Amino acid sequence: MASILSKKQKKKENYTLKELKSLGSDLLSSRAHINNLPLLLSFISPESPPQFVVESLLSLQSFFTPLLPQLPSSSSSSPASSTKRPRSDEEDDDDSAKTETDEVDGDPEVIFRAWLRSKFDEFVKVLLDVLVSQQSEDALRDIVLGTLMEFVKLLNAGRFHSSIYHRILNAIIHSAVDVDMFLDILNSKYFKYIDVRYFTYISMEKFVKTLEASAVSGALISSSLPDKTVMENSETENELKDSLELSIRKIYQVLSRTPPPHKQAEKSDLEMWSGSDESSSKKPKGKKKKSKDQDSNLLSPTTIAKRMKLKFTKAWISFLRLPLPLDVYKEVLASIHQTVIPHLSNPAMLCDFLTKSYDIGGVVSVMALSSLFILMTEHGLEYPNFYEKLYALLVPSVFVAKHRARFLQLLDACLRSSLLPAYLAASFAKKLSRLSLSVPPSGSLVITALIYNLLRRHPTINHLVHQEPVDNASEANSEAEEDNESSRPKTNKKLGMDYFNNQETDLKKTGAMRSSLWEIDTLRHHYCPPVSRFVSSLETDLTIRAKTTEMKIEDFSSGSYATIFGDEIRRRVKQVPLAFYKAVPTSLFEDSDFPGWTFTIPQEEGKC
């Protein structure tokens, strides 16, 4: 039976869905209808109706699935280069295999399989085009992605076909469609498989290296151009920069949505999409040394789980070397201490990125403090001048910043050690008390709590609560290494002088040990009642640690005008102030206020 295409030449637009289904049925029934294959391929395009695309896709998927083990490694290789043994992904990418071509050049079966492979590669290409097309519907994208993932599973003799999967991720990252839609599908169906996550990290590392190389080459080219040429190509450079930033954002979305390695992987976490646990036991014959990438295709689930952390680390460390946009930079710093550091093979590898972020200053430094604190306390990172940088972050704007709660809790944790020198604790206490005069009421509350904890932890600075001024200001700086008792003033008094230098960055030279916390006494008259009431907590003797407890900074760090107002209206007051008059007033004003005028209401007869 001749094919329908040879009987009647039709335009693609003239086919009905029923005829298209008949084309697929004929193709599956006999090799005599093989000419239907190119016709069905022509219907898979973003411009075709979705139902036509789905019908052609299902027919071609049913046709290619049983033939996948028999297809040669690549359509670009010569027919003689294909063998019946399925080859690894590394061989799929390398078409330099050498075989004896003269013996099989004229074999029709080999030529036919090579042609089928070329059509299969074309099938994969048009599927990727449909997947990332803006004209495609979400349901169609779901079907197309499922078909491609089936090929990833089956094409390489049961082993994960990383080449096709890499092409899928590459198309997603470089598409104009929102990447979240694809990630929702991957996250719900495929990221639960350990090999999918494993090769996702490998692909992300490759994408990052490509972007890094393109960014460096673009910078070198622009720097070597003459000034006039640079001005003419400024628009092109801006386009390249925007494209780079877009790719960086999409890579970050993929990395952040991919589940991290589990510390103790359960049996369900070792489930594989490709089912390569069976084929991995079959060792290939031959003495050729396998590369690392080729060997990764033969890994068991347990071995992949062990190597997962290394791939996770390489992907993230490579990504953090890119020139991140500011919004991505902040998102990374806000979550890296929870989503990245616990899963790295060596968290100390982040020290360069975090120290550079901490040195930037402003809100970026505030956000980097959390991760840097983990590396210092849990992984032995030594950071010189850490407290000087932390001291510089204490500005009024930090008390209204978005991430102020975490920063203030870390500030309290950094000042918790009793081994800190007295001059350092005094400098922080004095700096905070000075800030209490210029921050919102919620900031004054948390500052009072921080100073309370500092005075309780470091008895050597308790004299700051009330200290008389001294005459010799030059002695203030030498007090950094002296004892608390020697810091008591014994010279002539000068009222109205504060030896604390608020602009000094060297904590040894601030003069805080000669100063006093007079700003806290000022807060007794604060316009906000909760602040004035809370200051009274510093009146207790904090040197007696057995009778006092530390304040929890998290109870105050998230405060705002709304929380203060909410606490006040919920507060039950026992004594309410009332207006009291010796006599009931009969007028709004007294007669003496306005001579010649009277404001008394005349009383009519017979009425009260």
Side-chain angles (χ1 to χ4, degrees):
M1 182 178 178
S3 66
I4 295 179
L5 184 62
S6 62
K7 281 184 175 182
K8 189 176 181 180
Q9 295 291 340
K10 280 189 176 183
K11 290 184 178 180
K12 191 173 69 171
E13 295 81 3
N14 296 334
Y15 279 92
T16 63
L17 190 61
K18 185 177 180 180
E19 291 175 334
L20 195 63
K21 190 173 183 180
S22 177
L23 286 174
S25 300
D26 292 341
L27 176 64
L28 296 174
S29 63
S30 173
R31 185 182 288 191
H33 302 281
I34 194 63
N35 287 332
N36 292 353
L37 194 154
L39 182 58
L40 289 171
L41 275 176
S42 65
F43 284 95
I44 303 179
S45 66
E47 293 78 18
S48 299
Q51 60 272 22
F52 282 65
V53 175
V54 172
E55 188 61 43
S56 301
L57 183 151
L58 295 176
S59 298
L60 292 175
Q61 183 182 3
S62 301
F63 173 76
F64 278 115
T65 299
L67 298 176
L68 291 179
Q70 305 173 17
L71 296 181
S73 60
S74 175
S75 61
S76 59
S77 61
S78 62
S81 66
S82 62
T83 61
K84 293 184 179 181
R85 180 182 63 84
R87 293 157 55 182
S88 66
D89 297 334
E90 200 56 33
E91 293 173 319
D92 287 342
D93 298 331
D94 186 11
D95 298 328
S96 61
K98 296 181 180 180
T99 57
E100 297 180 358
T101 61
D102 296 337
E103 298 181 0
V104 291
D105 269 346
D107 189 349
E109 188 65 24
V110 173
I111 297 175
F112 176 69
R113 289 177 183 175
W115 179 80
L116 286 180
R117 178 62 198 228
S118 67
K119 293 303 174 185
F120 175 78
D121 291 342
E122 184 181 348
F123 183 36
V124 173
K125 181 180 181 302
V126 295
L127 286 179
L128 291 173
D129 293 339
V130 174
L131 178 67
V132 298
S133 174
Q134 293 179 320
Q135 304 176 17
S136 301
E137 299 176 355
D138 291 347
L140 179 59
R141 291 195 184 100
D142 195 350
I143 296 173
V144 171
L145 184 57
T147 303
L148 289 169
M149 291 302 294
E150 285 295 324
F151 293 153
V152 170
K153 180 178 183 180
L154 301 173
L155 181 59
N156 201 21
R159 296 193 296 270
F160 196 94
H161 200 286
S162 60
S163 178
I164 293 182
Y165 186 64
H166 182 80
R167 291 174 63 186
I168 294 173
L169 295 179
N170 183 68
I172 290 174
I173 289 177
H174 294 91
S175 69
V177 183
D178 187 9
V179 72
D180 285 333
M181 196 281 300
F182 301 107
L183 291 176
D184 290 339
I185 301 175
L186 290 172
N187 207 13
S188 61
K189 295 183 179 181
Y190 305 108
F191 278 163
K192 62 183 178 180
Y193 299 105
I194 187 171
D195 51 350
V196 176
R197 301 196 301 270
Y198 181 80
F199 286 100
T200 299
Y201 293 132
I202 293 177
S203 295
M204 290 302 108
E205 183 187 1
K206 292 179 180 178
F207 294 145
V208 168
K209 289 182 178 179
T210 303
L211 284 179
E212 192 174 9
S214 63
V216 172
S217 61
L220 291 175
I221 292 174
S222 61
S223 62
S224 62
L225 292 175
D227 295 341
K228 188 175 182 180
T229 309
V230 171
M231 292 294 291
E232 293 175 353
N233 295 335
S234 59
E235 295 183 0
T236 305
E237 291 179 7
N238 292 333
E239 292 177 0
L240 292 175
K241 183 178 179 182
D242 294 340
S243 177
L244 177 64
E245 290 186 357
L246 182 61
S247 299
I248 290 175
R249 287 190 172 91
K250 290 188 175 182
I251 291 176
Y252 172 68
Q253 287 178 280
V254 175
L255 284 174
S256 60
R257 293 284 297 274
T258 306
H262 301 282
K263 291 184 178 180
Q264 294 180 349
E266 300 178 358
K267 190 173 181 179
S268 59
D269 297 328
L270 299 179
E271 187 178 1
M272 298 185 66
W273 171 249
S274 60
S276 61
D277 47 349
E278 298 177 359
S279 59
S280 62
S281 60
K282 301 179 182 179
K283 297 183 179 180
K285 298 178 182 180
K287 299 180 180 179
K288 186 177 179 180
K289 188 177 180 180
K290 296 176 294 183
S291 64
K292 292 183 179 180
D293 292 336
Q294 181 178 351
D295 184 56
S296 65
N297 296 322
L298 305 175
L299 296 176
S300 65
T302 306
T303 309
I304 288 182
K306 293 179 181 178
R307 296 191 180 184
M308 180 76 76
K309 183 172 286 190
L310 179 61
K311 299 301 181 183
F312 177 87
T313 302
K314 287 184 176 180
W316 271 102
I317 297 299
S318 301
F319 172 75
L320 295 178
R321 294 195 189 104
L322 293 175
L324 304 180
L326 184 58
D327 56 338
V328 176
Y329 204 146
K330 292 181 179 180
E331 287 184 31
V332 170
L333 291 176
S335 60
I336 194 173
H337 64 284
Q338 294 177 338
T339 59
V340 178
I341 291 181
H343 309 289
L344 293 177
S345 58
N346 183 15
M349 297 175 69
L350 283 176
C351 63
D352 290 339
F353 172 75
L354 292 176
T355 50
K356 289 179 182 178
S357 303
Y358 193 60
D359 292 340
I360 291 177
V363 66
V364 175
S365 297
V366 171
M367 300 172 72
L369 177 62
S370 180
S371 302
L372 194 61
F373 180 76
I374 293 177
L375 293 187
M376 293 177 61
T377 56
E378 299 180 11
H379 302 283
L381 175 66
E382 295 184 5
Y383 185 79
N385 301 325
F386 172 77
Y387 285 100
E388 284 77 3
K389 298 286 180 59
L390 183 61
Y391 185 81
L393 294 178
L394 295 178
V395 292
S397 60
V398 79
F399 291 90
V400 293
K402 181 179 179 180
H403 303 280
R404 65 183 181 277
R406 179 65 179 166
F407 169 75
L408 294 171
Q409 294 172 27
L410 288 172
L411 174 63
D412 182 65
C414 293
L415 300 174
R416 185 168 295 167
S417 175
S418 59
L419 301 179
L420 295 178
Y423 72 86
L424 190 146
S427 297
F428 273 92
K430 184 61 182 176
K431 180 78 170 182
L432 289 169
S433 65
R434 184 66 59 87
L435 287 172
S436 66
L437 302 178
S438 56
V439 298
S442 58
S444 299
L445 289 174
V446 70
I447 283 175
T448 304
L450 287 167
I451 293 177
Y452 178 95
N453 290 342
L454 278 172
L455 294 175
R456 185 178 180 275
R457 296 166 186 164
H458 307 280
T460 54
I461 65 171
N462 269 270
H463 65 276
L464 296 179
V465 176
H466 180 74
Q467 178 167 249
E468 298 293 338
V470 297
D471 182 45
N472 189 4
S474 61
E475 296 178 4
N477 296 336
S478 63
E479 199 57 37
E481 291 83 9
E482 289 184 6
D483 197 36
N484 179 29
E485 294 298 329
S486 62
S487 64
R488 301 293 181 181
K490 298 178 181 179
T491 55
N492 297 332
K493 300 179 181 179
K494 273 191 177 182
L495 298 179
M497 179 175 288
D498 189 353
Y499 294 111
F500 174 70
N501 184 0
N502 193 38
Q503 306 299 324
E504 179 61 53
T505 57
D506 189 350
L507 299 182
K508 296 181 180 179
K509 300 178 181 180
T510 58
M513 293 293 286
R514 291 281 184 176
S515 182
S516 65
L517 301 179
W518 58 265
E519 297 91 347
I520 300 301
D521 185 67
T522 306
L523 295 182
R524 296 177 185 273
H525 310 287
H526 199 279
Y527 72 90
C528 186
V531 176
S532 58
R533 288 195 304 265
F534 191 52
V535 171
S536 61
S537 61
L538 296 178
E539 295 178 357
T540 58
D541 188 1
L542 300 178
T543 58
I544 307 176
R545 297 174 60 89
K547 295 183 180 180
T548 57
T549 58
E550 284 194 2
M551 292 188 178
K552 296 181 178 181
I553 300 301
E554 54 266 24
D555 296 339
F556 307 93
S557 57
S558 300
S560 61
Y561 284 106
T563 58
I564 293 176
F565 181 76
D567 293 339
E568 282 298 295
I569 62 175
R570 287 190 297 267
R571 183 169 172 264
R572 301 185 65 178
V573 183
K574 296 181 180 179
Q575 296 181 352
V576 181
L578 300 174
F580 175 74
Y581 302 99
K582 294 182 179 179
V584 178
T586 58
S587 61
L588 184 61
F589 303 105
E590 296 291 338
D591 292 341
S592 59
D593 294 338
F594 298 92
W597 293 80
T598 179
F599 300 96
T600 305
I601 301 175
Q603 298 287 336
E604 298 181 3
E605 295 182 0
K607 293 184 179 181
C608 299

